[in-house]
Amino acid sequence: MASAWESKRHHSILERAAAFLPSLLDDDALKSNHQVQPVHGVLLFADISGFTALTEKFLQRSSADRGTDELAQTLNCYMSDILKEMLIFGGDVLKFAGDAVLVLWRTPPQELAKTISLVLQCSQQIQKKHGSRNTRVGLKLQLKIGISAGPMSLLIVGGGRRQYFCIYGQALAEVCEAEELAQAGEVILSATAWELCEQRRLRTQRLAGKRAVKLGGCLDDACPAPVLLRKHCSPIAPGGLVLPFPGQRGWRAGSVPWDCWGGQWQCFHSVCLQVTGMSRMSQSECQDTLRQLIHQRLSYPFEEESATRPALLLRHDSHMDEMLAKHIPEAALRKLDDRVPTDLFSELRPVTSLFVQLHLAADIDAMALCPILCHVIRMMLEILSPHNGEVNKVLLFDKGCTFLCLFGLPGLKLPYESVHALQSALQIFTLCSTTRVEIEAVSVAVTSGTVFCGVTGHPERHEYTVIGQKVNLAARMMVHYPGLVSCDAATYAASRLPPWCFKELPEREMKGVGHPGTVYQYVGITEESMLGMGLTKERSEYVPLLGREKEVDLFVSCLKAYEDLGQRHILAFEGTMGSGTSHLLTELAYLGQAAGHKVVAMELLEANVRQPFSAICRLMARALGLQDCESCGDKQRVLQTKLRGTIEESSYCLLNDIFRVEFPVSDKVREMCEMQRRAELHSTWVKVFEKVIGGEFGIFIINNAHFIDPASWRIMSPVLRNVSHFTVVSLAPGYRRTESFCKAAADSATSQEITYLHLDELKPSAVVQKVCQDLGVVSIPRDLARFLIQRSSGIPYYCEELLRCLRCNDMLLFRARRQGGKAEDNWESLITSAAEASALAATSSSRVGSDGRVCIIRPDVNLENTVLPDTLKEIALAQLDQIKPLKQAVLKFAAVIGPVFTTQLLLHILPAGMRHKMNCLLDMLVCDNILKWLKNREVPEDDRDPATGPAASPEAESSVERPSPSKETVEQQSGVLAFCVPLLQEAAYELWPESQRVVLHRKCAAFLEQHAHKCKSCSQGDFVAFHRFAATSTQDGGSCQGPAAQGDSRSWEALVLAGEQLKRERTHATEDAADALQQQQALTEEDVGVAGWLLAKSEQTTELPSKTNGQHTSARSCECKAIVESVLVPLARHYMATGDAARAFYYLLECAAAYLHVSNSYMALMKLNEAEVLRNSLEKKADAIARFEEATFFSLKGEVCCRMGRMKLAKKMMRKALRLLKRPFPRTSVGAFVRSQVEKLPCAAFAARRASSLPQEARRKRLAWLLRQSRCLSLLEHLFSLEGTSSGQRFSRLAARMKANTDRAADSYQAADSHHRWS
């Protein structure tokens, strides 16, 4: 899957890193001790007009993820074409700013006029080729260009491990102004550039009231484009760039022939000096270089395949590597260090964007600006680094002095990302506003959402950044809400902070943003507001707490022991985020109050860890009742009343800063030094805490106790060991405070005082009960139960978020439960009845009564295709980002295959450069508990030869190839792996951009198609006989780029093992839930009806004899059940993902036929329902389905109806199928009589002659039609024979006669095919 970037352009790690930097940052610039360096040259500022409107349009027509992906692909394609022209003309790309780019042509002052002419020609060329571009959504992208020239300054700012560069000066201000004056498709020349340029050669137009001019064209149209040289290998050599002799690998030239220069040697000479770095060489070196260049031109023609860029002159040493790394974003640097291919850098992931704008004096010079930027960047890095945030851009154009900070980049994702971003934004705002007098105002905006995160630009020069609607929105909010910290509604919701941390802001019209949603001001978490924070979860009076009976019983027993013995005790519950600790503690607080105790409960936030004494302050404030006090005087009176006799009167003033009170400072405290005051404060805290804990205040409940700050813990820890109390805390794994509680519980000296319990995941039955409870229904479909049980992993919060996502997208329907009555005889009614019959009910009591509601899945919804909610995606990505980039890359490839995958298929889709590392990486992922090996079966030596085992039917022999194993495949470790947590697989899959995802799905399909057939014991043919020959659309191979790697019997065995695992995962979760619920409800077969019981049993793969295919040799030897799960179902999914609806429909029919083949009517029904939805969507798009496919679809429907007892509907479907197969079956007695007479006519000889005359492909296609007709007629014969009437018998005999004739014709075609094959 290596792109042109990897295969052609970059041959070393250092050169790949150099592509992230401009040529301006050469050896001298990086090693200079001066932060401000002079630069002369010409600046070009290009801005894409209509980008913001395009962003909104993409999001309106598709989902957020897909819209962001399409936007990034459109912008990257357009920007790459523009940059190619700039690089050909020798431009040095300095900065990217979303839809804008700043380019420099560095040149000595005496060469400015010629260089301006060169830049003007470049601008005209760009506007001519790429000035306007249509997009697929109907909007047009256009380009505005501004040009300036003159002296400017290069600023290198930052500190520590990160540095940034900026261009500043009058030339930058003028180029920004020129771009603002430009309209779409125009090129504006600044006043200074106009004065310096070759005016006689230009056609210009003055702008009213401005000194800048609009370019109308060059009078000298023969002004040529330069021939530029560059080195594709690492342009690093001692002393600078050395041009090679002809034939040396890695050199390329520009796209313009040498002869176009004519006699303009002087212009060529200046450009060569600029772009090759010869201006820094001695005179003799320049002469040698030019001599080699001329010789190169005479020896062979210049290549015309790529753009070029000015040489980046660097010395290859470790110190230079370190300096270079400081200018590359950490997320990109980690991937470079781990040797991840550049085309795998890009991802779609939820990121929090933070824009900061500093308003400075307009006349500030570079020498004064540089220390300000250094101070601000160092301060930002100190704030952001603890939360894995980073400064991605420092821009001094377009929107003033602007910083783009990002949270959640690859490898840097942390939980509570939105909270971190908001707190960091407020800290940056406060410090920038107060520490530098030169900063007149500060504006900060924070947004959260899915963005394109990766490489943007051109293979020769690109950057690592983010693109998306949320990034644009943050930039607009920063401008339209100045002087405060603003955030969007997504950040507000994701932070889960109390509402009093925000203020709703008035809606303002923002350019290009149609519906920004509600905008909030973040005011922060103040000490005063935090005093009133108790438990945030509210207890429901109507529904019980599910699945936590063991924890409640433990609390009751510990509380009783505390009441009886009065011994101190801590009850600690450890649970992952979302495991329900908040709900549990709310329930325990209620039980404590019901038992007659006073309960003091509080919840800590992540911000409390960095606020000294915040935990103990809030605990004591709530215990003393300060949260109810409205004024400062009320607080003082409560403190004096509650603490009388506990602390001295002179020490009350020490509580002023803690509780926001105003006790007069006593003389004793005033005379203390700082150290004495701290000691006295600590002593006072201890006394107050002992009073609170050991007094009459009852039970203490602390949610998120792992957020207790160190200062509070130094006071609380010794008191908790010495004072009688009963405290309940909740903890999360991975925190230092959690480890201390865990060690204390394991220590024999303190184990009697601490009970430590890990919260287990909810059992499947509890998940079903919770879902029914949350939806207010009596039952849910089995498929919905399976989906939620598998995806949530028994974590309540995950289940709630998945359910919320389904409801927000209208994927669930609710209606009253049907009580008896005859159902309508149509396909939709059959789907509904099947879903209801297999539904899982919550409680036996809920089943009583006629007013109960039931939940069903909307018919056109496939739960397997639902997108993971952003909240859960962030949790999963935080876990994924803990592993190294190369392991994460392998995991992303595996995620495309599915939750269970074989190593052979993974090897097939991996890039060539990663295949030799696959085994090692997989083993490491297993050690990290992200993947798990499934037990592999030994393959007998006899079966390892793919040539063994002759085909049992002409279909198998003619249509299924059994290729020989390749050497590369055999050497790799073979086996089957599964994701330990399904959530990680989905999160990793959704990181892929659409274009890369489609390519991988095609590769997976190409591999699996080799095994899309029955097992050996079932003749190895298609499940729909000769299906691949009848459906010609599946044979052209248009969707797959080349055949899959040659497989062998090991691939088959691995797929069988994978299929068995997938089947277990599909059935066992709901079976366990059903068994548990049946035990609770004493559920009998009569409760759900016989039909429902049979449907439930069909999920347990009960073996029933097949009426239509008796090829089974034994139930044990048949492997078709596994193959349908690991091959056919994934094939339909892969082709749906590629957008190939015809192939997806083909494999959905194969799935349905395969499920019927293994006697699983329920799953056949579900796959036909998916095919129905796909068929309806194709009809809306006016895409025709092949006639044979349509007939097969109705015939399979008829088989399912027959097996489910819908005989009338089955006959209707079979008649439709036969009509499409051009073998209509009569509806009336007269028609039956006529047809019976026709069927008596001799036709066998004609059929035999026709079969022998047809080519092989046409013969096999006709055979598929005949076999499908025979199957339909056989079923009709059976259906009519069941009626027991004379009419039924008549139609049954007719069907038998028609089938016999059809079978004779099929025998003729099979005989002709066999004769042709053996001859």
Side-chain angles (χ1 to χ4, degrees):
M1 185 174 160
S3 68
W5 296 19
E6 304 304 319
S7 58
K8 290 185 179 181
R9 289 174 166 77
H10 301 302
H11 303 282
S12 72
I13 296 296
L14 187 56
E15 185 175 359
R16 288 176 63 200
F20 288 89
L21 299 175
S23 303
L24 184 63
L25 289 182
D26 57 10
D27 204 19
D28 296 338
L30 290 173
K31 290 188 174 181
S32 174
N33 294 324
H34 302 287
Q35 292 180 320
V36 181
Q37 303 174 33
V39 177
H40 279 82
V42 181
L43 285 177
L44 181 150
F45 187 23
D47 186 27
I48 298 175
S49 175
F51 176 69
T52 306
L54 181 68
T55 304
E56 297 293 320
K57 189 72 173 179
F58 270 125
L59 290 183
Q60 289 173 8
R61 70 187 294 267
S62 56
S63 63
D65 286 11
R66 184 166 183 179
T68 301
D69 186 18
E70 291 177 339
L71 171 71
Q73 297 301 327
T74 302
L75 178 64
N76 262 335
C77 182
Y78 189 35
M79 187 68 76
S80 180
D81 291 342
I82 295 169
L83 292 178
K84 178 180 178 181
E85 299 295 330
M86 294 175 176
L87 294 171
I88 287 175
F89 278 84
D92 186 14
V93 181
L94 296 182
K95 289 281 186 180
F96 296 85
D99 59 342
V101 62
L102 182 67
V103 188
L104 170 68
W105 277 260
R106 193 174 184 181
T107 186
Q110 61 271 19
E111 299 289 342
L112 276 175
K114 292 184 176 63
T115 307
I116 292 173
S117 298
L118 180 69
V119 177
L120 288 173
Q121 187 191 358
C122 174
S123 303
Q124 282 189 303
Q125 184 86 341
I126 291 172
Q127 290 289 20
K128 180 179 179 181
K129 288 185 176 181
H130 313 294
S132 178
R133 176 166 296 184
N134 294 320
T135 64
R136 69 180 70 179
V137 293
L139 296 181
K140 184 178 291 186
L141 291 178
Q142 294 179 295
L143 200 63
K144 304 188 301 179
I145 296 178
I147 298 173
S148 71
M152 60 200 83
S153 299
L154 169 65
L155 279 62
I156 298 181
V157 296
R161 57 186 178 84
R162 291 290 284 124
Q163 286 189 333
Y164 306 86
F165 73 92
C166 301
I167 287 291
Y168 188 70
Q170 184 63 29
L172 179 67
E174 288 188 359
V175 78
C176 292
E177 181 185 5
E179 184 275 327
E180 286 290 335
L181 294 172
Q183 300 297 318
E186 294 182 349
V187 179
I188 301 296
L189 206 59
S190 72
T192 304
W194 170 244
E195 293 172 1
L196 294 173
C197 73
E198 298 173 321
Q199 298 182 7
R200 67 185 184 280
R201 299 177 57 196
L202 304 177
R203 292 193 298 268
T204 59
Q205 177 182 343
R206 288 280 182 180
L207 299 179
K210 303 291 182 181
R211 296 175 59 202
V213 298
K214 180 171 73 173
L215 180 67
C218 292
L219 296 178
D220 184 6
D221 292 333
C223 183
V227 177
L228 306 177
L229 299 177
R230 67 146 171 89
K231 187 177 184 183
H232 273 232
C233 297
S234 184
I236 304 163
L241 177 66
V242 181
L243 297 178
F245 288 99
Q248 182 171 339
R249 180 184 177 186
W251 281 85
R252 299 291 184 268
S255 60
V256 182
W258 176 282
D259 295 336
C260 72
W261 281 94
Q264 303 184 46
W265 169 257
Q266 185 176 4
C267 183
F268 170 75
H269 178 263
S270 66
V271 173
C272 259
L273 289 178
Q274 173 193 346
V275 301
T276 63
M278 289 192 294
S279 59
R280 301 175 184 273
M281 301 180 188
S282 65
Q283 183 175 1
S284 61
E285 288 175 328
C286 285
Q287 291 175 349
D288 291 340
T289 300
L290 290 173
R291 196 176 298 112
Q292 294 172 17
L293 177 63
I294 295 171
H295 177 68
Q296 182 179 5
R297 179 254 167 182
L298 297 175
S299 299
Y300 60 91
F302 289 108
E303 299 183 27
E304 302 184 7
E305 65 178 68
S306 63
T308 59
R309 64 171 286 187
L312 178 56
L313 304 177
L314 298 172
R315 297 181 185 275
H316 196 2
D317 55 56
S318 58
H319 181 61
M320 182 56 62
D321 292 351
E322 294 176 4
M323 298 188 68
L324 195 67
K326 291 183 178 181
H327 289 269
I328 299 175
E330 186 176 343
L333 198 60
R334 292 177 73 247
K335 293 179 181 286
L336 286 171
D337 291 342
D338 220 23
R339 298 181 181 271
V340 176
T342 306
D343 54 347
L344 298 183
F345 278 30
S346 300
E347 294 179 352
L348 292 173
R349 61 163 49 216
V351 166
T352 301
S353 307
L354 190 155
F355 266 101
V356 181
Q357 185 178 46
L358 305 182
H359 301 268
L360 303 168
D363 57 350
I364 190 170
D365 60 14
M367 297 303 295
L369 177 63
C370 192
I372 297 175
L373 292 181
C374 286
H375 171 78
V376 170
I377 290 174
R378 281 196 296 268
M379 176 264 296
M380 285 184 176
L381 292 176
E382 289 177 3
I383 294 172
L384 300 174
S385 294
H387 311 300
N388 285 359
E390 68 170 44
V391 180
N392 182 257
K393 292 179 189 290
V394 180
L395 303 174
L396 291 176
F397 62 95
D398 193 19
K399 292 180 175 65
C401 184
T402 305
F403 305 84
L404 171 59
C405 308
L406 299 172
F407 294 82
L409 291 176
L412 304 173
K413 196 82 170 176
L414 289 178
Y416 309 103
E417 178 183 290
S418 299
V419 178
H420 296 159
L422 290 170
Q423 293 170 353
S424 299
L426 192 59
Q427 285 181 272
I428 292 171
F429 176 82
T430 303
L431 291 175
C432 288
S433 301
T434 56
T435 58
R436 302 293 304 200
V437 296
E438 301 92 341
I439 300 175
E440 298 175 352
V442 183
S443 303
V444 185
V446 185
T447 58
S448 300
T450 300
V451 300
F452 171 87
C453 178
V455 173
T456 179
H458 187 273
E460 292 296 331
R461 175 70 177 94
H462 44 260
E463 73 164 0
Y464 190 85
T465 188
V466 294
I467 299 172
Q469 186 263 350
K470 289 295 184 178
V471 184
N472 294 352
L473 179 60
R476 300 296 185 192
M477 286 166 51
M478 174 188 68
V479 174
H480 290 85
Y481 294 94
L484 49 83
V485 178
S486 59
C487 73
D488 67 336
T491 307
Y492 168 82
S495 69
R496 302 169 71 185
L497 291 173
W500 38 257
C501 296
F502 302 88
K503 291 181 180 178
E504 188 172 332
L505 294 173
E507 184 177 348
R508 294 179 183 174
E509 185 176 349
M510 292 182 272
K511 179 183 175 183
V513 180
H515 303 284
T518 306
V519 179
Y520 298 88
Q521 178 187 358
Y522 179 66
V523 297
I525 305 173
T526 63
E527 291 291 339
E528 187 171 355
S529 61
M530 287 175 63
L531 295 180
M533 284 187 62
L535 297 178
T536 56
K537 298 295 182 183
E538 296 183 1
R539 180 182 182 273
S540 174
E541 299 180 5
Y542 305 102
V543 293
L545 182 67
L546 297 172
R548 297 302 179 205
E549 293 79 8
K550 180 176 69 174
E551 290 79 6
V552 172
D553 293 341
L554 179 62
F555 169 79
V556 172
S557 61
C558 290
L559 180 59
K560 190 175 187 310
Y562 172 69
E563 293 171 341
D564 295 341
L565 303 177
Q567 295 180 349
R568 55 182 174 273
H569 198 84
I570 297 178
L571 181 57
F573 295 104
E574 180 197 334
T576 58
M577 180 181 178
S579 59
T581 53
S582 298
H583 285 287
L584 175 61
L585 263 59
T586 302
E587 181 72 14
L588 299 184
Y590 170 79
L591 294 176
Q593 291 175 343
H597 297 275
K598 179 179 179 181
V599 177
V600 178
M602 70 170 186
E603 181 170 329
L604 296 176
L605 302 175
E606 200 265 348
N608 297 128
V609 179
R610 293 176 298 278
Q611 296 173 340
F613 303 109
S614 62
I616 193 172
C617 167
R618 291 180 56 201
L619 182 63
M620 290 191 294
R622 294 192 63 80
L624 297 170
L626 297 182
Q627 75 275 8
D628 299 325
C629 298
E630 297 181 357
S631 64
C632 176
D634 293 340
K635 292 180 184 178
Q636 291 179 196
R637 284 189 290 273
V638 170
L639 287 171
Q640 288 174 328
T641 302
K642 295 288 182 72
L643 299 179
R644 184 174 292 114
T646 302
I647 61 174
E648 300 178 1
E649 289 290 331
S650 60
S651 299
Y652 277 108
C653 60
L654 295 172
L655 305 177
N656 286 350
D657 294 336
I658 305 301
F659 293 121
R660 306 297 181 188
V661 290
E662 298 175 356
F663 287 107
V665 180
S666 63
D667 295 337
K668 177 182 177 181
V669 173
R670 189 181 292 111
E671 294 172 358
M672 292 179 182
C673 64
E674 184 64 25
M675 185 175 297
Q676 291 174 326
R677 182 173 297 187
R678 288 181 182 177
E680 183 65 21
L681 178 62
H682 186 274
S683 175
T684 302
W685 272 119
V686 171
K687 293 175 182 177
V688 174
F689 191 60
E690 287 180 347
K691 167 70 175 177
V692 170
I693 291 293
E696 72 283 0
F697 298 102
I699 304 171
F700 293 89
I701 296 180
I702 306 175
N703 193 17
N704 297 332
H706 49 278
F707 290 144
I708 297 176
D709 60 281
S712 296
W713 186 247
R714 283 194 293 270
I715 296 172
M716 296 172 64
S717 181
V719 175
L720 291 174
R721 288 196 296 266
N722 300 317
V723 177
S724 178
H725 64 90
F726 182 51
T727 303
V728 183
V729 299
S730 70
L731 303 161
Y735 291 89
R736 185 179 302 175
R737 196 73 59 229
T738 304
E739 294 176 1
S740 65
F741 274 96
C742 187
K743 289 179 180 178
D747 189 351
S748 59
T750 56
S751 60
Q752 298 298 322
E753 302 172 359
I754 299 178
T755 301
Y756 195 90
L757 184 66
H758 177 77
L759 290 186
D760 297 326
E761 295 79 11
L762 294 180
K763 295 180 180 179
S765 58
V767 172
V768 174
Q769 289 177 312
K770 176 177 174 55
V771 174
C772 290
Q773 196 178 86
D774 293 345
L775 296 178
V777 296
V778 297
S779 67
I780 60 173
R782 185 176 293 264
D783 289 340
L784 177 60
R786 177 190 304 121
F787 171 80
L788 294 173
I789 290 169
Q790 289 180 345
R791 299 299 194 282
S792 68
S793 300
I795 299 177
Y797 176 68
Y798 294 4
C799 183
E800 293 168 4
E801 287 299 300
L802 290 167
L803 209 54
R804 182 188 60 80
C805 179
L806 295 177
R807 299 194 69 175
C808 289
N809 291 288
D810 296 325
M811 295 183 177
L812 302 179
L813 300 176
F814 303 91
R815 60 177 181 77
R817 186 176 54 161
R818 291 190 302 190
Q819 295 293 320
K822 188 175 180 180
E824 296 181 15
D825 197 16
N826 56 41
W827 180 255
E828 292 74 18
S829 174
L830 178 60
I831 294 288
T832 303
S833 300
E836 289 182 359
S838 62
L840 298 177
T843 62
S844 57
S845 60
S846 65
R847 301 177 63 85
V848 179
S850 59
D851 57 346
R853 291 200 314 162
V854 296
C855 170
I856 60 174
I857 303 169
R858 207 175 68 198
D860 60 341
V861 168
N862 184 353
L863 293 178
E864 301 302 321
N865 298 331
T866 55
V867 178
L868 204 61
D870 281 347
T871 50
L872 300 188
K873 190 185 297 185
E874 291 187 0
I875 295 172
L877 289 180
Q879 300 177 41
L880 286 177
D881 282 354
Q882 295 176 12
I883 64 177
K884 289 187 176 181
L886 199 58
K887 290 195 289 183
Q888 192 176 123
V890 172
L891 210 62
K892 287 166 59 181
F893 280 98
V896 176
I897 302 173
V900 179
F901 60 94
T902 68
T903 53
Q904 292 92 336
L905 180 49
L906 179 60
L907 182 71
H908 176 69
I909 67 174
L910 279 177
M914 295 175 62
R915 289 176 183 171
H916 66 285
K917 303 176 183 178
M918 184 187 76
N919 290 341
C920 179
L921 294 170
L922 289 177
D923 287 336
M924 288 191 287
L925 288 167
V926 170
C927 293
D928 295 336
N929 293 321
I930 295 174
L931 299 177
K932 59 183 177 183
W933 286 102
L934 302 181
K935 184 179 179 181
N936 206 348
R937 296 182 300 180
E938 291 295 328
V939 182
E941 202 66 37
D942 296 341
D943 294 338
R944 293 187 181 179
D945 183 5
T948 61
S953 69
E955 177 191 357
E957 186 172 335
S958 60
S959 63
V960 179
E961 297 180 359
R962 304 289 287 176
S964 59
S966 63
K967 180 179 179 181
E968 180 184 33
T969 304
V970 172
E971 290 177 351
Q972 292 291 337
Q973 181 178 359
S974 61
V976 182
L977 294 101
F979 282 82
C980 296
V981 181
L983 216 60
L984 294 183
Q985 182 260 329
E986 293 191 51
Y989 173 77
E990 291 177 13
L991 291 175
W992 284 106
E994 181 74 14
S995 58
Q996 294 178 332
R997 191 185 301 173
V998 167
V999 171
L1000 292 175
H1001 279 295
R1002 286 175 178 165
K1003 286 189 173 185
C1004 291
F1007 181 92
L1008 292 175
E1009 279 186 328
Q1010 298 177 102
H1011 308 286
H1013 55 82
K1014 298 177 184 177
C1015 64
K1016 286 184 180 180
S1017 64
C1018 298
S1019 78
Q1020 293 188 311
D1022 293 332
F1023 287 94
V1024 175
F1026 282 83
H1027 195 181
R1028 65 189 63 196
F1029 299 107
T1032 54
S1033 63
T1034 64
Q1035 295 299 311
D1036 54 14
S1039 299
C1040 293
Q1041 300 173 346
Q1046 295 295 299
D1048 63 345
S1049 61
R1050 293 186 182 179
S1051 297
W1052 177 269
E1053 294 295 332
L1055 288 169
V1056 170
L1057 181 61
E1060 292 171 351
Q1061 176 67 17
L1062 287 166
K1063 186 175 180 303
R1064 278 193 296 271
E1065 292 181 355
R1066 182 170 58 81
T1067 58
H1068 281 198
T1070 49
E1071 285 175 9
D1072 293 343
D1075 291 342
L1077 290 170
Q1078 285 176 13
Q1079 291 175 8
Q1080 294 175 17
Q1081 304 163 17
L1083 189 64
T1084 63
E1085 180 183 336
E1086 287 74 20
D1087 288 322
V1088 295
V1090 176
W1093 183 78
L1094 288 174
L1095 282 173
K1097 287 296 182 183
S1098 71
E1099 282 293 297
Q1100 301 172 24
T1101 65
T1102 302
E1103 283 295 331
L1104 297 175
S1106 175
K1107 297 179 181 179
T1108 56
N1109 196 325
Q1111 301 295 331
H1112 295 282
T1113 56
S1114 69
R1116 293 182 180 178
S1117 62
C1118 181
E1119 297 170 332
C1120 294
K1121 295 177 185 177
I1123 289 302
V1124 67
E1125 302 288 350
S1126 62
V1127 177
L1128 297 181
V1129 172
L1131 273 170
R1133 177 175 61 85
H1134 289 310
Y1135 279 123
M1136 283 294 291
T1138 63
D1140 193 338
R1143 288 180 180 240
F1145 192 80
Y1146 171 93
Y1147 281 108
L1148 284 173
L1149 296 182
E1150 282 286 302
C1151 288
Y1155 279 122
L1156 288 172
H1157 176 74
V1158 298
S1159 303
N1160 192 336
S1161 301
Y1162 177 77
M1163 286 306 300
L1165 177 70
M1166 293 298 102
K1167 290 304 169 184
L1168 287 173
N1169 186 47
E1170 290 182 38
E1172 175 87 20
V1173 174
L1174 181 58
R1175 176 174 170 268
N1176 293 338
S1177 67
L1178 290 176
E1179 287 181 351
K1180 291 179 181 179
K1181 297 177 183 177
D1183 291 338
I1185 297 176
R1187 189 182 184 98
F1188 181 81
E1189 298 288 86
E1190 188 95 354
T1192 303
F1193 173 63
F1194 283 109
S1195 70
L1196 292 173
K1197 273 188 171 183
E1199 291 187 48
V1200 171
C1201 292
C1202 177
R1203 295 195 183 194
M1204 293 190 168
R1206 298 293 186 93
M1207 304 306 178
K1208 185 177 179 181
L1209 185 59
K1211 286 185 282 188
K1212 178 181 177 182
M1213 294 297 174
M1214 285 303 174
R1215 278 195 168 103
K1216 280 187 178 180
L1218 285 169
R1219 186 169 63 252
L1220 289 167
L1221 291 168
K1222 301 178 182 179
R1223 194 88 161 96
F1225 192 82
R1227 294 178 178 274
T1228 64
S1229 299
V1230 176
F1233 174 76
V1234 173
R1235 170 54 64 182
S1236 64
Q1237 298 305 312
V1238 172
E1239 293 297 324
K1240 292 178 182 179
L1241 298 175
C1243 300
F1246 172 76
R1249 287 195 301 270
R1250 186 181 182 190
S1252 60
S1253 64
L1254 289 175
Q1256 185 182 37
E1257 289 297 320
R1259 188 164 52 244
R1260 290 179 176 175
K1261 182 175 182 179
R1262 179 58 183 163
L1263 183 57
W1265 283 63
L1266 291 172
L1267 292 176
R1268 182 52 38 184
Q1269 291 173 6
S1270 176
R1271 194 175 184 90
C1272 294
L1273 291 167
S1274 176
L1275 189 60
L1276 279 178
E1277 178 190 0
H1278 172 70
L1279 291 172
F1280 281 111
S1281 68
L1282 297 177
E1283 290 187 3
T1285 62
S1286 58
S1287 175
Q1289 294 302 318
R1290 188 182 308 115
F1291 280 109
S1292 178
R1293 287 193 298 271
L1294 174 60
R1297 183 182 295 276
M1298 293 174 67
K1299 179 182 182 301
N1301 290 338
T1302 303
D1303 288 344
R1304 280 193 291 271
D1307 291 341
S1308 300
Y1309 279 88
Q1310 284 183 327
D1313 190 63
S1314 299
H1315 175 74
H1316 178 272
R1317 185 168 59 253
W1318 289 110
S1319 62

